[in-house]
Amino acid sequence: MKQYLDEYVTYLEEVKRLSRSTIESYRADLNGFIEYAADREVTHPRDVNRTVLGLYLGRLRQQGKAASSQLRCTASLRSFFQYLVRQSVIGQDPTQLLDRPKPERKPPQALTIEQVDKLLSAPDSDTPQGARDRAMLELLYASGIKVSELVSLSIHDLNMEMRFLRCAVPGGKERILPISQIAAQSVAYYMRDMRSQLIRDAEVEALFLNSLGTRLTRQGFWKIIKKYGKLAEIDEEITPHTLRHSFAIHLLQNGADLRSVQEMLGHSALSTTGMYQSTKKSMKEVYDHYHPRS
Protein backbone atom coordinates (compact mmCIF):
# COMPACT_ATOMS: atom_id res chain seq x y z
CA MET A 1 0.00 0.00 0.00
CA LYS A 2 3.04 2.27 0.25
CA GLN A 3 2.82 3.05 -3.47
CA TYR A 4 -0.76 4.29 -3.10
CA LEU A 5 0.17 6.33 -0.06
CA ASP A 6 2.88 8.14 -2.03
CA GLU A 7 0.37 8.90 -4.82
CA TYR A 8 -2.14 10.12 -2.24
CA VAL A 9 0.41 12.44 -0.65
CA THR A 10 1.20 13.90 -4.07
CA TYR A 11 -2.53 14.47 -4.56
CA LEU A 12 -2.74 16.30 -1.22
CA GLU A 13 0.23 18.47 -2.17
CA GLU A 14 -0.62 19.33 -5.78
CA VAL A 15 -4.40 19.18 -5.93
CA LYS A 16 -5.63 19.84 -2.40
CA ARG A 17 -2.66 22.12 -1.61
CA LEU A 18 -2.76 21.28 2.07
CA SER A 19 -0.15 22.61 4.47
CA ARG A 20 3.02 20.64 5.08
CA SER A 21 2.07 19.92 8.71
CA THR A 22 -1.38 18.62 7.71
CA ILE A 23 0.09 16.36 5.05
CA GLU A 24 2.65 14.98 7.49
CA SER A 25 -0.15 14.20 9.94
CA TYR A 26 -2.00 12.26 7.22
CA ARG A 27 1.18 10.43 6.28
CA ALA A 28 1.99 9.46 9.87
CA ASP A 29 -1.55 8.18 10.52
CA LEU A 30 -1.63 6.14 7.34
CA ASN A 31 1.91 4.79 7.75
CA GLY A 32 0.93 3.47 11.15
CA PHE A 33 -2.05 1.64 9.68
CA ILE A 34 -0.13 0.29 6.67
CA GLU A 35 2.57 -1.17 8.92
CA TYR A 36 -0.08 -2.73 11.17
CA ALA A 37 -1.89 -4.22 8.17
CA ALA A 38 1.36 -5.56 6.64
CA ASP A 39 2.09 -7.47 9.86
CA ARG A 40 -1.20 -9.25 9.22
CA GLU A 41 -0.34 -9.88 5.56
CA VAL A 42 -2.81 -7.26 4.33
CA THR A 43 -0.73 -5.47 1.69
CA HIS A 44 -3.25 -4.27 -0.92
CA PRO A 45 -6.10 -1.79 -0.33
CA ARG A 46 -8.67 -4.23 -1.73
CA ASP A 47 -7.90 -6.63 1.14
CA VAL A 48 -8.63 -4.04 3.81
CA ASN A 49 -11.97 -4.55 5.52
CA ARG A 50 -13.86 -3.17 8.46
CA THR A 51 -12.43 -5.82 10.79
CA VAL A 52 -8.81 -4.85 10.10
CA LEU A 53 -9.62 -1.17 10.47
CA GLY A 54 -11.56 -1.77 13.69
CA LEU A 55 -8.73 -3.81 15.19
CA TYR A 56 -6.24 -1.07 14.37
CA LEU A 57 -8.36 1.67 15.91
CA GLY A 58 -8.92 -0.57 18.93
CA ARG A 59 -5.17 -0.87 19.28
CA LEU A 60 -4.89 2.93 19.35
CA ARG A 61 -7.39 3.00 22.22
CA GLN A 62 -5.43 0.32 24.10
CA GLN A 63 -2.28 2.39 23.67
CA GLY A 64 -4.04 5.25 25.42
CA LYS A 65 -4.19 7.55 22.41
CA ALA A 66 -6.29 10.63 23.03
CA ALA A 67 -9.76 10.73 21.51
CA SER A 68 -8.61 13.63 19.32
CA SER A 69 -5.80 11.46 17.90
CA GLN A 70 -8.24 8.62 17.24
CA LEU A 71 -10.61 11.00 15.47
CA ARG A 72 -7.80 12.39 13.33
CA CYS A 73 -6.61 8.90 12.39
CA THR A 74 -10.15 7.83 11.47
CA ALA A 75 -10.48 10.94 9.28
CA SER A 76 -7.14 10.17 7.61
CA LEU A 77 -8.23 6.61 6.82
CA ARG A 78 -11.59 7.76 5.44
CA SER A 79 -9.96 10.35 3.19
CA PHE A 80 -7.36 7.86 1.91
CA PHE A 81 -9.84 5.13 1.02
CA GLN A 82 -12.28 7.59 -0.54
CA TYR A 83 -9.41 8.74 -2.75
CA LEU A 84 -8.69 5.11 -3.73
CA VAL A 85 -12.35 4.63 -4.68
CA ARG A 86 -12.23 7.73 -6.91
CA GLN A 87 -9.06 6.39 -8.51
CA SER A 88 -10.79 3.02 -9.13
CA VAL A 89 -8.12 1.20 -7.11
CA ILE A 90 -10.90 -0.32 -4.99
CA GLY A 91 -14.60 -0.64 -5.65
CA GLN A 92 -15.93 0.01 -2.16
CA ASP A 93 -14.83 2.20 0.73
CA PRO A 94 -14.14 -0.07 3.76
CA THR A 95 -14.34 2.89 6.17
CA GLN A 96 -18.02 3.56 5.45
CA LEU A 97 -19.30 1.49 8.36
CA LEU A 98 -16.61 2.50 10.86
CA ASP A 99 -17.83 3.80 14.19
CA ARG A 100 -16.75 7.35 14.86
CA PRO A 101 -14.80 7.80 18.10
CA LYS A 102 -16.57 10.19 20.42
CA PRO A 103 -14.65 13.43 20.92
CA GLU A 104 -13.13 13.92 24.34
CA ARG A 105 -15.29 16.11 26.53
CA LYS A 106 -13.00 17.94 28.89
CA PRO A 107 -14.55 19.30 32.07
CA PRO A 108 -15.03 23.06 31.94
CA GLN A 109 -12.28 25.08 33.59
CA ALA A 110 -13.48 27.37 36.35
CA LEU A 111 -11.87 29.70 38.86
CA THR A 112 -12.20 29.35 42.60
CA ILE A 113 -14.33 31.92 44.39
CA GLU A 114 -11.15 33.47 45.78
CA GLN A 115 -9.68 33.79 42.29
CA VAL A 116 -12.90 35.39 41.02
CA ASP A 117 -12.72 37.93 43.85
CA LYS A 118 -9.13 38.81 42.93
CA LEU A 119 -9.97 39.08 39.23
CA LEU A 120 -13.02 41.30 39.76
CA SER A 121 -11.09 43.55 42.13
CA ALA A 122 -8.17 44.06 39.73
CA PRO A 123 -9.53 46.99 37.63
CA ASP A 124 -8.99 50.55 38.88
CA SER A 125 -12.53 51.90 39.07
CA ASP A 126 -11.30 55.48 39.40
CA THR A 127 -10.63 55.58 35.64
CA PRO A 128 -13.26 55.33 32.88
CA GLN A 129 -11.63 52.23 31.38
CA GLY A 130 -11.19 50.60 34.76
CA ALA A 131 -14.80 51.27 35.78
CA ARG A 132 -15.95 49.84 32.45
CA ASP A 133 -13.77 46.76 32.87
CA ARG A 134 -14.96 46.15 36.44
CA ALA A 135 -18.58 46.46 35.30
CA MET A 136 -18.04 43.98 32.47
CA LEU A 137 -16.30 41.40 34.65
CA GLU A 138 -18.92 41.72 37.38
CA LEU A 139 -21.72 41.39 34.83
CA LEU A 140 -20.23 38.28 33.21
CA TYR A 141 -19.83 36.52 36.52
CA ALA A 142 -23.23 37.69 37.80
CA SER A 143 -25.22 36.52 34.76
CA GLY A 144 -23.23 33.79 32.97
CA ILE A 145 -23.81 35.42 29.58
CA LYS A 146 -21.40 34.88 26.71
CA VAL A 147 -18.89 37.57 25.78
CA SER A 148 -20.71 38.09 22.46
CA GLU A 149 -23.89 38.80 24.44
CA LEU A 150 -21.98 41.07 26.82
CA VAL A 151 -20.56 43.35 24.12
CA SER A 152 -23.94 43.40 22.35
CA LEU A 153 -25.67 44.99 25.34
CA SER A 154 -27.11 48.47 24.96
CA ILE A 155 -27.89 50.96 27.71
CA HIS A 156 -31.62 50.09 27.54
CA ASP A 157 -30.98 46.39 28.17
CA LEU A 158 -30.34 46.79 31.89
CA ASN A 159 -32.59 47.72 34.78
CA MET A 160 -30.41 48.61 37.75
CA GLU A 161 -33.28 49.16 40.16
CA MET A 162 -34.88 45.76 39.52
CA ARG A 163 -31.45 44.16 38.94
CA PHE A 164 -31.99 42.36 35.64
CA LEU A 165 -30.70 42.46 32.10
CA ARG A 166 -32.33 41.61 28.80
CA CYS A 167 -30.20 39.36 26.63
CA ALA A 168 -31.06 38.92 22.95
CA VAL A 169 -30.56 35.45 21.45
CA PRO A 170 -30.62 34.24 17.82
CA GLY A 171 -34.09 33.90 16.33
CA GLY A 172 -35.44 37.12 17.78
CA LYS A 173 -35.94 35.65 21.24
CA GLU A 174 -34.57 37.05 24.46
CA ARG A 175 -34.04 35.95 28.01
CA ILE A 176 -34.33 38.05 31.14
CA LEU A 177 -31.58 37.36 33.67
CA PRO A 178 -31.15 38.48 37.27
CA ILE A 179 -27.85 40.07 38.31
CA SER A 180 -26.24 40.52 41.70
CA GLN A 181 -26.42 43.71 43.70
CA ILE A 182 -22.64 44.17 43.40
CA ALA A 183 -22.81 43.84 39.62
CA ALA A 184 -25.72 46.28 39.45
CA GLN A 185 -23.78 48.80 41.53
CA SER A 186 -20.68 48.45 39.35
CA VAL A 187 -22.65 48.91 36.13
CA ALA A 188 -24.65 51.83 37.58
CA TYR A 189 -21.44 53.59 38.66
CA TYR A 190 -19.90 53.11 35.21
CA MET A 191 -23.03 54.37 33.43
CA ARG A 192 -23.58 57.33 35.75
CA ASP A 193 -20.03 58.59 36.30
CA MET A 194 -17.66 57.13 33.71
CA ARG A 195 -19.33 56.17 30.44
CA SER A 196 -19.76 59.82 29.47
CA GLN A 197 -15.97 60.19 29.42
CA LEU A 198 -15.72 57.52 26.69
CA ILE A 199 -18.58 58.84 24.54
CA ARG A 200 -17.72 60.54 21.23
CA ASP A 201 -21.22 60.38 19.76
CA ALA A 202 -24.23 60.94 22.02
CA GLU A 203 -26.36 58.77 19.72
CA VAL A 204 -24.34 55.62 20.48
CA GLU A 205 -26.42 53.26 22.61
CA ALA A 206 -23.79 50.55 23.14
CA LEU A 207 -23.28 49.97 26.86
CA PHE A 208 -19.58 49.22 26.80
CA LEU A 209 -17.43 51.57 24.73
CA ASN A 210 -13.81 51.43 23.59
CA SER A 211 -11.34 54.33 23.51
CA LEU A 212 -12.80 55.45 20.16
CA GLY A 213 -16.26 55.79 21.66
CA THR A 214 -17.67 52.85 19.68
CA ARG A 215 -18.95 49.47 20.81
CA LEU A 216 -16.27 47.30 22.41
CA THR A 217 -15.56 44.10 20.44
CA ARG A 218 -15.11 40.49 21.54
CA GLN A 219 -11.43 40.76 20.65
CA GLY A 220 -11.14 43.88 22.78
CA PHE A 221 -12.63 42.14 25.78
CA TRP A 222 -10.37 39.13 25.25
CA LYS A 223 -7.35 41.41 25.76
CA ILE A 224 -8.98 42.99 28.80
CA ILE A 225 -9.60 39.73 30.66
CA LYS A 226 -6.06 38.51 29.88
CA LYS A 227 -4.69 41.74 31.32
CA TYR A 228 -6.57 41.41 34.60
CA GLY A 229 -5.76 37.71 34.87
CA LYS A 230 -2.09 38.70 35.00
CA LEU A 231 -2.72 41.56 37.43
CA ALA A 232 -4.61 39.18 39.73
CA GLU A 233 -1.68 36.73 39.49
CA ILE A 234 -3.89 33.87 38.35
CA ASP A 235 -1.74 31.15 36.79
CA GLU A 236 -4.59 29.31 35.06
CA GLU A 237 -5.45 30.19 31.47
CA ILE A 238 -8.35 32.67 31.55
CA THR A 239 -10.70 33.23 28.63
CA PRO A 240 -14.01 35.14 28.45
CA HIS A 241 -15.76 31.77 28.84
CA THR A 242 -13.98 31.12 32.14
CA LEU A 243 -16.35 33.39 34.06
CA ARG A 244 -19.36 31.74 32.41
CA HIS A 245 -18.10 28.33 33.56
CA SER A 246 -17.36 29.71 37.03
CA PHE A 247 -20.87 31.20 37.23
CA ALA A 248 -22.50 27.83 36.49
CA ILE A 249 -20.26 25.72 38.71
CA HIS A 250 -20.46 28.05 41.70
CA LEU A 251 -24.26 28.14 41.47
CA LEU A 252 -24.43 24.34 41.45
CA GLN A 253 -21.93 24.08 44.30
CA ASN A 254 -24.18 26.30 46.36
CA GLY A 255 -27.29 24.22 45.74
CA ALA A 256 -28.89 25.67 42.59
CA ASP A 257 -30.91 23.18 40.57
CA LEU A 258 -29.69 22.16 37.12
CA ARG A 259 -32.84 23.27 35.30
CA SER A 260 -32.53 26.85 36.56
CA VAL A 261 -28.87 27.01 35.59
CA GLN A 262 -29.79 25.66 32.14
CA GLU A 263 -32.33 28.44 31.70
CA MET A 264 -29.90 31.14 32.81
CA LEU A 265 -27.16 29.89 30.49
CA GLY A 266 -29.59 29.63 27.58
CA HIS A 267 -28.82 25.98 26.85
CA SER A 268 -31.44 24.28 24.70
CA ALA A 269 -30.63 20.84 26.11
CA LEU A 270 -30.27 19.91 29.77
CA SER A 271 -27.46 17.51 28.85
CA THR A 272 -25.30 20.46 27.81
CA THR A 273 -25.65 22.02 31.26
CA GLY A 274 -25.03 18.59 32.77
CA MET A 275 -21.32 18.84 31.99
CA TYR A 276 -21.04 21.17 34.97
CA GLN A 277 -22.31 18.52 37.36
CA SER A 278 -19.10 16.50 37.06
CA THR A 279 -17.28 19.40 38.68
CA LYS A 280 -19.98 20.19 41.21
CA LYS A 281 -18.31 18.63 44.27
CA SER A 282 -15.60 16.08 44.78
CA MET A 283 -16.60 12.68 46.15
CA LYS A 284 -14.77 13.44 49.40
CA GLU A 285 -16.58 16.77 49.82
CA VAL A 286 -19.95 15.06 49.37
CA TYR A 287 -19.00 12.28 51.76
CA ASP A 288 -17.65 14.62 54.45
CA HIS A 289 -20.72 16.82 54.25
CA TYR A 290 -23.46 14.19 54.20
CA HIS A 291 -22.20 11.00 55.87
CA PRO A 292 -23.40 10.91 59.49
CA ARG A 293 -20.08 9.61 60.81
CA SER A 294 -17.70 11.64 58.67
Side-chain angles (χ1 to χ4, degrees):
M1 281 190 278
K2 290 280 188 182
Q3 167 198 346
Y4 298 108
L5 175 57
D6 291 339
E7 293 173 2
Y8 175 63
V9 168
T10 301
Y11 163 77
L12 295 179
E13 291 172 338
E14 298 180 358
V15 179
K16 300 293 285 184
R17 296 189 178 279
L18 299 183
S19 69
R20 174 54 49 190
S21 60
T22 301
I23 292 172
E24 288 308 314
S25 295
Y26 274 106
R27 189 197 293 273
D29 290 338
L30 295 169
N31 263 327
F33 170 72
I34 290 171
E35 290 171 5
Y36 175 86
D39 289 343
R40 284 148 185 78
E41 299 183 356
V42 177
T43 56
H44 194 280
R46 65 171 170 266
D47 298 323
V48 175
N49 55 35
R50 183 186 177 189
T51 300
V52 175
L53 291 164
L55 288 171
Y56 178 66
L57 294 173
R59 184 189 184 193
L60 296 182
R61 287 192 292 274
Q62 291 173 353
Q63 291 174 340
K65 298 290 185 183
S68 57
S69 298
Q70 296 176 45
L71 280 167
R72 191 194 67 195
C73 186
T74 303
S76 298
L77 289 167
R78 288 183 193 279
S79 179
F80 178 54
F81 283 101
Q82 287 167 5
Y83 164 80
L84 294 178
V85 169
R86 291 195 300 272
Q87 298 300 311
S88 300
V89 175
I90 56 176
Q92 189 171 359
D93 175 9
T95 69
Q96 277 185 333
L97 300 177
L98 274 183
D99 294 329
R100 294 180 181 271
K102 292 184 178 179
E104 221 168 10
R105 197 173 200 182
K106 296 181 180 179
Q109 297 299 307
L111 300 176
T112 65
I113 294 175
E114 292 75 16
Q115 287 175 322
V116 170
D117 287 340
K118 289 175 67 177
L119 179 67
L120 270 51
S121 299
D124 178 5
S125 296
D126 291 333
T127 67
Q129 288 83 1
R132 175 202 64 195
D133 299 345
R134 173 71 182 266
M136 286 193 295
L137 293 171
E138 289 281 5
L139 206 52
L140 266 189
Y141 181 60
S143 63
I145 59 176
K146 300 174 184 175
V147 65
S148 57
E149 296 169 332
L150 176 76
V151 297
S152 296
L153 290 173
S154 296
I155 53 177
H156 304 299
D157 290 329
L158 284 95
N159 185 315
M160 297 299 98
E161 184 179 349
M162 301 298 293
R163 292 198 288 112
F164 72 80
L165 66 83
R166 181 174 62 246
C167 182
V169 296
K173 298 180 180 179
E174 63 180 25
R175 61 189 201 279
I176 306 299
L177 300 173
I179 59 175
S180 68
Q181 184 173 354
I182 295 175
Q185 290 171 346
S186 294
V187 176
Y189 168 68
Y190 159 71
M191 291 178 66
R192 182 184 66 245
D193 298 339
M194 296 296 187
R195 183 176 175 272
S196 60
Q197 298 182 50
L198 297 173
I199 291 175
R200 301 286 183 87
D201 180 356
E203 299 299 316
V204 173
E205 294 191 347
L207 177 59
F208 296 116
L209 306 174
N210 58 25
S211 58
L212 299 176
T214 58
R215 186 181 294 275
L216 191 77
T217 63
R218 293 175 67 253
Q219 293 78 7
F221 183 75
W222 185 281
K223 294 176 183 177
I224 287 169
I225 198 169
K226 294 287 186 184
K227 167 187 170 182
Y228 291 115
K230 289 182 180 178
L231 283 176
E233 298 180 342
I234 297 172
D235 295 329
E236 288 85 348
E237 179 74 11
I238 296 180
T239 70
H241 232 57
T242 303
L243 284 176
R244 179 171 164 89
H245 294 325
S246 303
F247 162 84
I249 289 170
H250 294 168
L251 277 178
L252 289 169
Q253 286 176 340
N254 284 295
D257 66 277
L258 195 63
R259 183 71 69 179
S260 296
V261 176
Q262 174 200 3
E263 187 175 346
M264 284 185 271
L265 291 174
H267 289 160
S268 57
L270 191 62
S271 59
T272 305
T273 317
M275 69 179 176
Y276 294 108
Q277 281 191 312
S278 62
T279 57
K280 183 177 177 182
K281 287 182 190 260
S282 70
M283 187 184 298
K284 186 175 185 305
E285 286 178 311
V286 172
Y287 181 88
D288 287 344
H289 183 75
Y290 291 106
H291 195 281
R293 292 200 182 265
S294 66

